[in-house]
Amino acid sequence: MAWNLQETFETDRPILGMIHLPALPGAPGYDGSREAIRTRVLEDAAALEAGGVDGIVVENFGDSPFYPDSVPTHTVAEMSAIATTLTSAVDVPVGINVLRNDAEAALSVAAAAGASFIRVNVHVGAAATDQGVLEGQAHETLRLRDRLEADVGILADVHVKHATPVGDASLERTALETAERGRADGLIVSGSGTGQETGLEDVERVASALEGLERDVPVFVGSGVTAETVDDCLAAGASGAIVGTALKVDGETTNRVSSERVKSVCEAARAAAGETGA
């Protein structure tokens, strides 16, 4: 399968907005209302689309403490139902991230719901996290995608946030191995945590490491992007950005999406890329 940035998002500089799900049934913070979760998802999605995002990423952000690898089947079921509702409600591509690192579940949800891509926190190598040591399962993820005949892209983090890489591999080496040996379709570079600014030098290093590849592997900035910094991120070599906290009311990660904040970031990104239009 050949996943293509331009064909997926109809732009080569996409801005992807985050939907941070409240705690799902079975998680400690669940408030007892599936209907409220569905309503929140649709309201956030409408605000993201109205603001002009090129894609949406949905993740089980409220499910902490997270399972390190395989999430329970009820979580897969809930996310499949939510993702199906979401893909039917919006006209932009949808991506799935199952925290903390269940790529099999994410891919299965995406395939069932008609989503376009997944995010994988640890695709190759290993990382020490508050869930313990997470190991990449690229060998399983790629083979599962083939078995499911799923036209789903894999966006993989490089030295993912809220984690410390195991071993001494440089950012450049990890980027190359994630793209070449792990066959990821795109890479994500982030700051140290949710909403934390991503170092422009890190973006430049990853983008430069990929220059010799035979295929195009886009680089996304995965945290801390704002209307004021998105142009610098694109200038540093990023093809796009995944934006969450900056799009929320008052800049709080768990708040609802503000369409005005979304519009501000998207307009700044399009101006930086030399594009016009709403």
Side-chain angles (χ1 to χ4, degrees), residues 176-232:
L176 272 175
E177 291 189 345
T178 305
E180 288 188 317
R181 295 162 67 88
R183 298 178 179 270
D185 300 298
L187 303 187
I188 302 169
V189 187
S190 298
S192 60
T194 301
Q196 297 300 305
E197 186 174 357
T198 302
L200 295 180
E201 180 183 353
D202 290 344
V203 179
E204 293 170 349
R205 290 170 63 189
V206 170
S208 296
L210 301 179
E211 288 179 353
L213 293 182
E214 295 181 357
R215 63 188 177 97
D216 291 330
V217 178
V219 176
F220 290 83
V221 177
S223 71
V225 177
T226 67
E228 292 72 34
T229 64
V230 66
D231 55 341
D232 292 331

Short mmCIF file of all heavy atoms in Angstrom, two decimals, residues 176-232:
data_model
loop_
_atom_site.label_atom_id
_atom_site.label_comp_id
_atom_site.label_asym_id
_atom_site.label_seq_id
_atom_site.Cartn_x
_atom_site.Cartn_y
_atom_site.Cartn_z
N LEU A 176 15.47 7.57 10.68
CA LEU A 176 15.74 6.74 9.51
C LEU A 176 15.23 5.32 9.69
O LEU A 176 14.63 4.74 8.78
CB LEU A 176 17.24 6.73 9.21
CG LEU A 176 17.78 7.84 8.32
CD1 LEU A 176 19.30 7.75 8.22
CD2 LEU A 176 17.16 7.76 6.93
N GLU A 177 15.47 4.75 10.86
CA GLU A 177 15.02 3.38 11.08
C GLU A 177 13.49 3.28 11.12
O GLU A 177 12.92 2.29 10.67
CB GLU A 177 15.64 2.84 12.37
CG GLU A 177 17.14 2.63 12.24
CD GLU A 177 17.75 1.91 13.42
OE1 GLU A 177 17.07 1.81 14.47
OE2 GLU A 177 18.89 1.43 13.29
N THR A 178 12.84 4.31 11.64
CA THR A 178 11.38 4.31 11.66
C THR A 178 10.82 4.37 10.25
O THR A 178 9.83 3.70 9.93
CB THR A 178 10.85 5.49 12.49
OG1 THR A 178 11.43 5.46 13.80
CG2 THR A 178 9.34 5.43 12.62
N ALA A 179 11.47 5.15 9.40
CA ALA A 179 10.99 5.29 8.02
C ALA A 179 11.41 4.13 7.13
O ALA A 179 10.61 3.62 6.34
CB ALA A 179 11.50 6.60 7.43
N GLU A 180 12.68 3.71 7.27
CA GLU A 180 13.20 2.67 6.37
C GLU A 180 12.83 1.27 6.84
O GLU A 180 12.08 0.55 6.17
CB GLU A 180 14.72 2.80 6.27
CG GLU A 180 15.17 4.00 5.46
CD GLU A 180 16.67 3.98 5.22
OE1 GLU A 180 17.44 3.66 6.16
OE2 GLU A 180 17.09 4.28 4.09
N ARG A 181 13.32 0.88 7.99
CA ARG A 181 13.10 -0.48 8.48
C ARG A 181 11.68 -0.66 9.04
O ARG A 181 11.09 -1.73 8.91
CB ARG A 181 14.16 -0.82 9.53
CG ARG A 181 15.56 -0.86 8.94
CD ARG A 181 16.64 -0.77 10.01
NE ARG A 181 16.69 -1.92 10.89
CZ ARG A 181 17.40 -3.03 10.65
NH1 ARG A 181 18.10 -3.12 9.53
NH2 ARG A 181 17.42 -4.03 11.51
N GLY A 182 11.15 0.41 9.64
CA GLY A 182 9.78 0.34 10.16
C GLY A 182 8.72 0.66 9.12
O GLY A 182 7.53 0.44 9.38
N ARG A 183 9.13 1.19 7.97
CA ARG A 183 8.23 1.50 6.85
C ARG A 183 7.05 2.39 7.25
O ARG A 183 5.93 2.25 6.73
CB ARG A 183 7.71 0.21 6.21
CG ARG A 183 8.80 -0.67 5.60
CD ARG A 183 8.22 -1.95 5.03
NE ARG A 183 9.25 -2.78 4.43
CZ ARG A 183 9.63 -2.73 3.16
NH1 ARG A 183 9.04 -1.87 2.34
NH2 ARG A 183 10.58 -3.53 2.70
N ALA A 184 7.28 3.32 8.16
CA ALA A 184 6.24 4.28 8.51
C ALA A 184 5.98 5.21 7.33
O ALA A 184 6.88 5.51 6.54
CB ALA A 184 6.65 5.10 9.73
N ASP A 185 4.75 5.67 7.21
CA ASP A 185 4.37 6.55 6.10
C ASP A 185 4.65 8.01 6.42
O ASP A 185 4.72 8.85 5.51
CB ASP A 185 2.89 6.37 5.78
CG ASP A 185 2.57 4.95 5.37
OD1 ASP A 185 3.10 4.50 4.34
OD2 ASP A 185 1.80 4.28 6.08
N GLY A 186 4.78 8.34 7.67
CA GLY A 186 5.08 9.70 8.10
C GLY A 186 5.66 9.66 9.50
O GLY A 186 5.43 8.70 10.25
N LEU A 187 6.42 10.67 9.87
CA LEU A 187 7.04 10.74 11.19
C LEU A 187 6.51 11.94 11.96
O LEU A 187 6.12 12.95 11.36
CB LEU A 187 8.56 10.84 11.08
CG LEU A 187 9.29 9.74 10.30
CD1 LEU A 187 10.79 9.92 10.43
CD2 LEU A 187 8.86 8.36 10.75
N ILE A 188 6.51 11.81 13.28
CA ILE A 188 6.04 12.87 14.16
C ILE A 188 7.14 13.23 15.15
O ILE A 188 7.74 12.35 15.78
CB ILE A 188 4.78 12.43 14.94
CG1 ILE A 188 3.67 12.02 13.97
CG2 ILE A 188 4.30 13.54 15.86
CD1 ILE A 188 2.49 11.33 14.63
N VAL A 189 7.41 14.52 15.27
CA VAL A 189 8.40 15.02 16.22
C VAL A 189 7.68 15.90 17.23
O VAL A 189 6.93 16.80 16.85
CB VAL A 189 9.50 15.84 15.51
CG1 VAL A 189 10.61 16.21 16.49
CG2 VAL A 189 10.07 15.08 14.33
N SER A 190 7.90 15.64 18.52
CA SER A 190 7.16 16.35 19.56
C SER A 190 8.09 16.91 20.62
O SER A 190 9.28 16.60 20.66
CB SER A 190 6.14 15.42 20.22
OG SER A 190 5.18 14.97 19.31
N GLY A 191 7.48 17.71 21.51
CA GLY A 191 8.18 18.19 22.68
C GLY A 191 8.17 17.13 23.77
O GLY A 191 7.85 15.96 23.51
N SER A 192 8.45 17.53 24.99
CA SER A 192 8.58 16.57 26.08
C SER A 192 7.24 16.06 26.60
O SER A 192 7.17 14.99 27.21
CB SER A 192 9.37 17.18 27.24
OG SER A 192 8.70 18.34 27.72
N GLY A 193 6.17 16.81 26.36
CA GLY A 193 4.86 16.40 26.87
C GLY A 193 3.74 17.05 26.11
O GLY A 193 3.95 17.88 25.20
N THR A 194 2.51 16.71 26.46
CA THR A 194 1.33 17.26 25.81
C THR A 194 1.33 18.78 25.91
O THR A 194 1.48 19.36 26.99
CB THR A 194 0.05 16.72 26.47
OG1 THR A 194 0.05 15.30 26.38
CG2 THR A 194 -1.19 17.29 25.80
N GLY A 195 1.19 19.44 24.75
CA GLY A 195 1.17 20.89 24.72
C GLY A 195 2.52 21.57 24.82
O GLY A 195 2.62 22.80 24.69
N GLN A 196 3.59 20.78 25.02
CA GLN A 196 4.93 21.36 25.14
C GLN A 196 5.53 21.65 23.76
O GLN A 196 5.38 20.86 22.82
CB GLN A 196 5.85 20.40 25.90
CG GLN A 196 5.41 20.16 27.34
CD GLN A 196 5.38 21.44 28.15
OE1 GLN A 196 6.37 22.16 28.24
NE2 GLN A 196 4.22 21.72 28.75
N GLU A 197 6.18 22.77 23.63
CA GLU A 197 6.74 23.20 22.35
C GLU A 197 7.77 22.19 21.82
O GLU A 197 8.60 21.68 22.58
CB GLU A 197 7.39 24.57 22.51
CG GLU A 197 7.87 25.17 21.21
CD GLU A 197 8.37 26.59 21.39
OE1 GLU A 197 8.29 27.12 22.52
OE2 GLU A 197 8.85 27.18 20.40
N THR A 198 7.69 21.94 20.54
CA THR A 198 8.64 21.06 19.87
C THR A 198 9.84 21.88 19.42
O THR A 198 9.69 22.94 18.81
CB THR A 198 7.98 20.40 18.64
OG1 THR A 198 6.83 19.67 19.07
CG2 THR A 198 8.95 19.46 17.95
N GLY A 199 11.02 21.38 19.70
CA GLY A 199 12.23 22.10 19.31
C GLY A 199 12.39 22.16 17.79
O GLY A 199 12.35 21.13 17.12
N LEU A 200 12.59 23.35 17.26
CA LEU A 200 12.75 23.49 15.81
C LEU A 200 14.00 22.77 15.32
O LEU A 200 14.02 22.24 14.20
CB LEU A 200 12.82 24.98 15.44
CG LEU A 200 11.56 25.80 15.71
CD1 LEU A 200 11.77 27.25 15.31
CD2 LEU A 200 10.36 25.20 14.97
N GLU A 201 15.02 22.71 16.16
CA GLU A 201 16.23 21.99 15.77
C GLU A 201 15.92 20.51 15.59
O GLU A 201 16.46 19.87 14.67
CB GLU A 201 17.32 22.16 16.84
CG GLU A 201 18.61 21.43 16.49
CD GLU A 201 19.66 21.55 17.58
OE1 GLU A 201 19.44 22.30 18.55
OE2 GLU A 201 20.69 20.86 17.46
N ASP A 202 15.05 19.96 16.42
CA ASP A 202 14.67 18.55 16.28
C ASP A 202 13.93 18.32 14.97
O ASP A 202 14.14 17.30 14.29
CB ASP A 202 13.80 18.11 17.45
CG ASP A 202 14.56 18.02 18.76
OD1 ASP A 202 15.81 18.00 18.71
OD2 ASP A 202 13.92 17.96 19.82
N VAL A 203 13.06 19.24 14.61
CA VAL A 203 12.34 19.13 13.34
C VAL A 203 13.32 19.16 12.18
O VAL A 203 13.24 18.34 11.25
CB VAL A 203 11.31 20.28 13.19
CG1 VAL A 203 10.57 20.16 11.85
CG2 VAL A 203 10.31 20.25 14.34
N GLU A 204 14.26 20.08 12.24
CA GLU A 204 15.27 20.19 11.18
C GLU A 204 16.11 18.93 11.07
O GLU A 204 16.40 18.45 9.97
CB GLU A 204 16.16 21.40 11.45
CG GLU A 204 15.45 22.74 11.33
CD GLU A 204 16.29 23.90 11.83
OE1 GLU A 204 17.35 23.63 12.46
OE2 GLU A 204 15.90 25.06 11.60
N ARG A 205 16.49 18.37 12.21
CA ARG A 205 17.33 17.16 12.21
C ARG A 205 16.60 15.98 11.59
O ARG A 205 17.18 15.23 10.80
CB ARG A 205 17.76 16.83 13.64
CG ARG A 205 18.76 17.80 14.25
CD ARG A 205 18.94 17.55 15.73
NE ARG A 205 19.51 16.21 15.99
CZ ARG A 205 19.60 15.70 17.21
NH1 ARG A 205 19.14 16.38 18.26
NH2 ARG A 205 20.13 14.49 17.37
N VAL A 206 15.33 15.80 11.93
CA VAL A 206 14.57 14.69 11.38
C VAL A 206 14.33 14.90 9.89
O VAL A 206 14.51 13.97 9.08
CB VAL A 206 13.23 14.52 12.12
CG1 VAL A 206 12.33 13.52 11.40
CG2 VAL A 206 13.49 14.05 13.55
N ALA A 207 13.95 16.10 9.49
CA ALA A 207 13.71 16.38 8.08
C ALA A 207 14.98 16.16 7.26
O ALA A 207 14.94 15.58 6.16
CB ALA A 207 13.18 17.79 7.90
N SER A 208 16.11 16.59 7.79
CA SER A 208 17.38 16.42 7.07
C SER A 208 17.76 14.95 6.96
O SER A 208 18.29 14.50 5.93
CB SER A 208 18.49 17.18 7.79
OG SER A 208 18.25 18.57 7.77
N ALA A 209 17.47 14.17 8.00
CA ALA A 209 17.83 12.74 8.00
C ALA A 209 17.07 11.98 6.92
O ALA A 209 17.55 10.94 6.44
CB ALA A 209 17.54 12.13 9.36
N LEU A 210 15.91 12.48 6.52
CA LEU A 210 15.08 11.77 5.56
C LEU A 210 15.33 12.19 4.11
O LEU A 210 14.73 11.63 3.19
CB LEU A 210 13.59 12.01 5.88
CG LEU A 210 13.12 11.58 7.27
CD1 LEU A 210 11.64 11.91 7.44
CD2 LEU A 210 13.37 10.10 7.51
N GLU A 211 16.21 13.15 3.91
CA GLU A 211 16.38 13.72 2.57
C GLU A 211 16.86 12.72 1.53
O GLU A 211 16.55 12.83 0.35
CB GLU A 211 17.34 14.92 2.64
CG GLU A 211 16.72 16.14 3.30
CD GLU A 211 17.70 17.31 3.37
OE1 GLU A 211 18.90 17.10 3.02
OE2 GLU A 211 17.28 18.40 3.78
N GLY A 212 17.60 11.70 1.93
CA GLY A 212 18.14 10.75 0.97
C GLY A 212 17.24 9.57 0.66
O GLY A 212 17.62 8.70 -0.13
N LEU A 213 16.07 9.53 1.26
CA LEU A 213 15.18 8.38 1.03
C LEU A 213 14.62 8.38 -0.39
O LEU A 213 14.45 9.44 -1.01
CB LEU A 213 14.01 8.42 2.03
CG LEU A 213 14.35 8.19 3.50
CD1 LEU A 213 13.07 8.22 4.33
CD2 LEU A 213 15.07 6.87 3.69
N GLU A 214 14.32 7.19 -0.88
CA GLU A 214 13.77 7.07 -2.22
C GLU A 214 12.30 7.47 -2.29
O GLU A 214 11.77 7.72 -3.36
CB GLU A 214 13.93 5.63 -2.73
CG GLU A 214 15.39 5.22 -2.93
CD GLU A 214 15.53 3.81 -3.44
OE1 GLU A 214 14.48 3.12 -3.60
OE2 GLU A 214 16.66 3.37 -3.70
N ARG A 215 11.63 7.48 -1.16
CA ARG A 215 10.22 7.88 -1.13
C ARG A 215 10.05 9.06 -0.18
O ARG A 215 10.87 9.29 0.71
CB ARG A 215 9.33 6.72 -0.66
CG ARG A 215 9.61 6.25 0.75
CD ARG A 215 8.84 5.00 1.10
NE ARG A 215 9.17 4.53 2.44
CZ ARG A 215 8.45 4.80 3.53
NH1 ARG A 215 7.35 5.53 3.43
NH2 ARG A 215 8.83 4.33 4.70
N ASP A 216 8.98 9.82 -0.39
CA ASP A 216 8.71 10.96 0.47
C ASP A 216 8.08 10.50 1.77
O ASP A 216 7.07 9.79 1.77
CB ASP A 216 7.77 11.94 -0.23
CG ASP A 216 8.43 12.64 -1.41
OD1 ASP A 216 9.66 12.82 -1.36
OD2 ASP A 216 7.72 12.99 -2.37
N VAL A 217 8.68 10.89 2.88
CA VAL A 217 8.13 10.59 4.20
C VAL A 217 7.92 11.93 4.91
O VAL A 217 8.88 12.56 5.34
CB VAL A 217 9.07 9.69 5.02
CG1 VAL A 217 8.49 9.43 6.41
CG2 VAL A 217 9.33 8.37 4.29
N PRO A 218 6.69 12.40 5.00
CA PRO A 218 6.43 13.71 5.61
C PRO A 218 6.72 13.71 7.10
O PRO A 218 6.63 12.68 7.78
CB PRO A 218 4.94 13.94 5.34
CG PRO A 218 4.37 12.57 5.19
CD PRO A 218 5.45 11.76 4.54
N VAL A 219 7.07 14.88 7.60
CA VAL A 219 7.35 15.08 9.02
C VAL A 219 6.28 16.00 9.59
O VAL A 219 6.01 17.07 9.05
CB VAL A 219 8.74 15.70 9.24
CG1 VAL A 219 8.98 15.98 10.72
CG2 VAL A 219 9.83 14.78 8.68
N PHE A 220 5.67 15.57 10.70
CA PHE A 220 4.68 16.38 11.40
C PHE A 220 5.22 16.84 12.73
O PHE A 220 5.93 16.09 13.42
CB PHE A 220 3.40 15.56 11.66
CG PHE A 220 2.60 15.24 10.44
CD1 PHE A 220 2.93 14.17 9.64
CD2 PHE A 220 1.49 16.01 10.11
CE1 PHE A 220 2.19 13.85 8.51
CE2 PHE A 220 0.74 15.71 8.99
CZ PHE A 220 1.08 14.64 8.18
N VAL A 221 4.89 18.08 13.10
CA VAL A 221 5.18 18.54 14.45
C VAL A 221 4.01 18.12 15.32
O VAL A 221 2.85 18.39 15.01
CB VAL A 221 5.36 20.07 14.49
CG1 VAL A 221 5.60 20.54 15.92
CG2 VAL A 221 6.54 20.47 13.61
N GLY A 222 4.30 17.43 16.45
CA GLY A 222 3.24 16.78 17.20
C GLY A 222 2.83 17.42 18.50
O GLY A 222 1.93 16.91 19.17
N SER A 223 3.44 18.52 18.89
CA SER A 223 2.99 19.17 20.14
C SER A 223 3.46 20.61 20.18
O SER A 223 4.47 20.97 19.57
CB SER A 223 3.52 18.42 21.36
OG SER A 223 4.91 18.60 21.52
N GLY A 224 2.70 21.42 20.90
CA GLY A 224 3.09 22.79 21.18
C GLY A 224 2.93 23.79 20.06
O GLY A 224 3.37 24.94 20.18
N VAL A 225 2.30 23.39 18.96
CA VAL A 225 2.14 24.30 17.82
C VAL A 225 1.05 25.32 18.13
O VAL A 225 -0.03 24.97 18.63
CB VAL A 225 1.79 23.54 16.54
CG1 VAL A 225 1.56 24.50 15.39
CG2 VAL A 225 2.91 22.55 16.20
N THR A 226 1.30 26.58 17.83
CA THR A 226 0.33 27.66 18.00
C THR A 226 0.26 28.48 16.72
O THR A 226 1.06 28.28 15.80
CB THR A 226 0.72 28.58 19.17
OG1 THR A 226 1.93 29.29 18.82
CG2 THR A 226 0.96 27.79 20.45
N ALA A 227 -0.66 29.43 16.69
CA ALA A 227 -0.76 30.32 15.54
C ALA A 227 0.52 31.13 15.36
O ALA A 227 0.89 31.50 14.24
CB ALA A 227 -1.96 31.25 15.71
N GLU A 228 1.21 31.38 16.46
CA GLU A 228 2.44 32.18 16.41
C GLU A 228 3.65 31.38 15.97
O GLU A 228 4.65 31.95 15.50
CB GLU A 228 2.71 32.81 17.78
CG GLU A 228 1.71 33.87 18.21
CD GLU A 228 0.36 33.30 18.59
OE1 GLU A 228 0.33 32.18 19.15
OE2 GLU A 228 -0.67 33.98 18.33
N THR A 229 3.62 30.05 16.13
CA THR A 229 4.81 29.24 15.85
C THR A 229 4.67 28.33 14.64
O THR A 229 5.66 27.74 14.21
CB THR A 229 5.16 28.36 17.06
OG1 THR A 229 4.10 27.42 17.31
CG2 THR A 229 5.39 29.21 18.30
N VAL A 230 3.47 28.20 14.08
CA VAL A 230 3.28 27.23 13.00
C VAL A 230 4.12 27.55 11.78
O VAL A 230 4.63 26.64 11.10
CB VAL A 230 1.78 27.11 12.62
CG1 VAL A 230 1.26 28.41 12.01
CG2 VAL A 230 1.54 25.93 11.70
N ASP A 231 4.33 28.85 11.50
CA ASP A 231 5.15 29.19 10.33
C ASP A 231 6.60 28.76 10.53
O ASP A 231 7.25 28.27 9.60
CB ASP A 231 5.07 30.69 10.02
CG ASP A 231 5.44 31.57 11.20
OD1 ASP A 231 5.42 31.07 12.36
OD2 ASP A 231 5.73 32.76 10.98
N ASP A 232 7.12 28.90 11.75
CA ASP A 232 8.49 28.47 12.04
C ASP A 232 8.63 26.95 11.92
O ASP A 232 9.65 26.44 11.44
CB ASP A 232 8.90 28.90 13.45
CG ASP A 232 9.06 30.40 13.58
OD1 ASP A 232 9.39 31.05 12.57
OD2 ASP A 232 8.86 30.92 14.69
#
